[in-house]
Amino acid sequence: ITDGYCTISAQVGPYASSFFSGYMSNLTVNNTTALYSTPASVPTSPVTSVSGTTLLLLGTNGSIIDVTQQNNVYTNGSAQLSSAVSKFGGSSLLLNGTTDNLTAPIIPTNKFLKDFTIHGFINVTGNLANSPGIIDFRASTTSTTGFSIQLNTSGQLIFYCNGSTTGNTVIPLNTITHIAVTRTGGVIRLFVGGVLQTATLSNANLFTDANLTIGSTWTSTLNDWFMGNIDDLDVLNGIA
C-alpha cells in the first residue's frame, strides 16, 4: 500500500460526498505491528503511542481550537487544557514554560495591514528570565514585517518589532490578568487590566509575515517559553 494519502471521516474520489457522522476517539494507525489478535482486547483507558504508531487521535484536550475556524492550530509539547485556572468557560490553555506552544500554518488573515486588537487573559506562574512570548506573528527575530507580544524579565507587557515598547505595569504572578495591544492610526497602545500603559509606539508597518505562534516566540531556540495559562485569546484584524 503505497499511495501515502490519509483522509479521516470521508472517502475520496467518486465517493467524496460520503462523510462520517458521529464521534471518533483513540483512532490509531500502527505501521509496523498488528496490535490485535483473537480475541481482541478492547482498550479500557486512553491508548498510548507505541513503537510504529504513526497516527493517534485521542479526542482529549480537543477544545484547543480556533473557534473562527481559520487557523489549524497544532499543540506542541504537553500543551493542554487545565480546569485549575480559567477566566471563563471552566478551562484555559496550560503551558509548562519549557516545551509547550501552539503553532499554525501561514494564512492571509494573519497579515495585519491596518488597525488591529489582540487581547485575552494570562496567568503567569514563572519563567520570566528570557522574556516569554505570548503570541508571535514574526518570521525572524529582526523582522519589521511581523511582531510579537511578550513579557520582559520584570513581568511587564512588551510589543516587539525589531525594537520594543514596554508597559509600565508589572503583571503579578499567579493572577489572571487581562492584556490588550491595539493599533489605531499607526499608533501601538498597550493595556494591562484595562489600564492604558504610558508608552506608545508609532508603527504603521504592513505586517505580512503571517506566522502564528502562541506560548513562545517564533523560534524555540530563544528559550522564551511562556509558563502559566492563556485564556480567551482574541485577535481582531482591522478593528482597534
Side-chain angles (χ1 to χ4, degrees):
I1 301 175
T2 58
D3 283 357
Y5 294 96
C6 178
T7 302
I8 297 172
S9 78
Q11 297 187 54
V12 296
Y15 305 103
S17 61
S18 301
F19 293 98
F20 176 88
S21 177
Y23 301 88
M24 296 184 187
S25 182
N26 287 255
L27 180 63
T28 307
V29 176
N30 190 297
N31 203 9
T32 61
T33 306
L35 297 178
Y36 293 94
S37 57
T38 303
S41 298
V42 177
T44 57
S45 60
V47 175
T48 58
S49 179
V50 297
S51 177
T53 299
T54 58
L55 174 71
L56 177 55
L57 302 180
L58 287 178
T60 57
N61 294 311
S63 291
I64 303 177
I65 59 173
D66 174 13
V67 297
T68 69
Q69 299 183 10
Q70 296 188 62
N71 288 281
N72 185 17
V73 177
Y74 297 91
T75 59
N76 303 303
S78 60
Q80 60 187 285
L81 291 182
S82 171
S83 59
V85 175
S86 71
K87 184 63 178 181
F88 305 113
S91 62
S92 64
L93 173 63
L94 176 63
L95 302 166
N96 66 8
T98 55
T99 60
D100 297 352
N101 65 8
L102 308 182
T103 53
I106 293 173
I107 59 172
T109 52
N110 286 335
K111 296 181 180 182
F112 298 87
L113 309 180
K114 298 179 181 179
D115 295 346
F116 63 80
T117 298
I118 299 171
H119 66 127
F121 295 89
I122 62 172
N123 175 57
V124 187
T125 59
N127 196 39
L128 293 173
N130 293 307
S131 297
I134 299 169
I135 188 168
D136 196 335
F137 296 95
R138 295 176 297 165
S140 70
T141 303
T142 58
S143 173
T144 58
T145 54
F147 64 91
S148 66
I149 299 172
Q150 301 173 235
L151 300 175
N152 67 9
T153 56
S154 298
Q156 295 160 306
L157 191 63
I158 296 174
F159 173 90
Y160 188 91
C161 175
N162 199 26
S164 65
T165 185
T166 304
N168 48 284
T169 300
V170 175
I171 297 173
L173 295 179
N174 303 303
T175 303
I176 299 175
T177 304
H178 184 264
I179 60 167
V181 174
T182 68
R183 178 166 73 177
T184 310
V187 178
I188 304 292
R189 295 178 174 86
L190 312 179
F191 299 81
V192 175
V195 177
L196 175 63
Q197 303 296 282
T198 302
T200 61
L201 177 69
S202 294
N203 189 316
N205 290 13
L206 301 181
F207 296 123
T208 56
D209 285 0
N211 283 23
L212 175 59
T213 306
I214 297 171
S216 73
T217 56
W218 72 280
T219 172
S220 60
T221 59
L222 298 177
N223 295 316
D224 39 19
W225 305 90
F226 180 92
M227 178 182 287
N229 307 79
I230 299 176
D231 198 10
D232 288 354
L233 186 61
D234 188 18
V235 177
L236 302 169
N237 198 342
I239 302 173

